[in-house]
Amino acid sequence: QVLLVESGGGLVQAGGSLRLSCAASGRTFSSYAMAWFRQAPGKEREFVARISSGGGTTYYTDSVKGRFTISRDNAKNTVYLQMNSLKPEDTAVYYCAAPGTRWSMPVHTSEYPYWGQGTQVTVSS
């Protein structure tokens, strides 16, 4: 069974930084892409960033490009989201997600069967 556990959320002022971590277990971590999504109150869950199994390819939603960086350490079975220059509109619950198919990099939430419990990020103005 795949288990994903996020950590690192919290309250930060606008312009500040946070680093989220997601520890994975239950299968060969290095064979699968990983992704971060977020969900703000009253809104649908949205894609934030994804990274290939080897870490060489990354994608970001436009609103976080240049501010967020996704990375992974396959030796530690962990994926990270470094968030800089945070804005109040980044406030959301952040989830890491894993696809069900090796080597794929899905786009949609429906293609990710495995999710963490979420970690709250609150950015004050």
Side-chain angles (χ1 to χ4, degrees):
Q1 181 177 352
V2 177
L3 181 64
L4 305 175
V5 180
E6 300 105 334
S7 61
L11 172 65
V12 64
Q13 290 188 332
S17 298
L18 283 174
R19 188 195 197 200
L20 306 183
S21 299
C22 173
S25 61
R27 65 181 184 183
T28 306
F29 180 74
S30 59
S31 296
Y32 295 85
M34 293 292 293
W36 287 95
F37 291 78
R38 66 186 179 186
Q39 188 166 18
K43 295 187 177 181
E44 292 188 355
R45 193 168 298 187
E46 65 171 355
F47 164 76
V48 175
R50 63 184 184 271
I51 187 167
S52 61
S53 57
T57 301
T58 58
Y59 295 98
Y60 299 90
T61 192
D62 286 346
S63 62
V64 309
K65 284 180 181 177
R67 300 188 299 121
F68 291 11
T69 302
I70 188 171
S71 62
R72 64 190 295 159
D73 185 337
N74 284 347
K76 296 182 178 179
N77 289 355
T78 302
V79 62
Y80 304 98
L81 186 68
Q82 177 67 45
M83 304 185 295
N84 299 329
S85 302
L86 282 161
K87 304 175 181 180
E89 51 263 44
D90 294 317
T91 295
V93 178
Y94 283 70
Y95 299 89
C96 69
T101 306
R102 287 175 187 260
W103 320 122
S104 68
M105 292 186 71
V107 175
H108 303 295
T109 57
S110 60
E111 298 174 278
Y112 288 86
Y114 305 109
W115 294 84
Q117 82 285 357
T119 185
Q120 177 70 47
V121 171
T122 303
V123 184
S124 63
S125 57

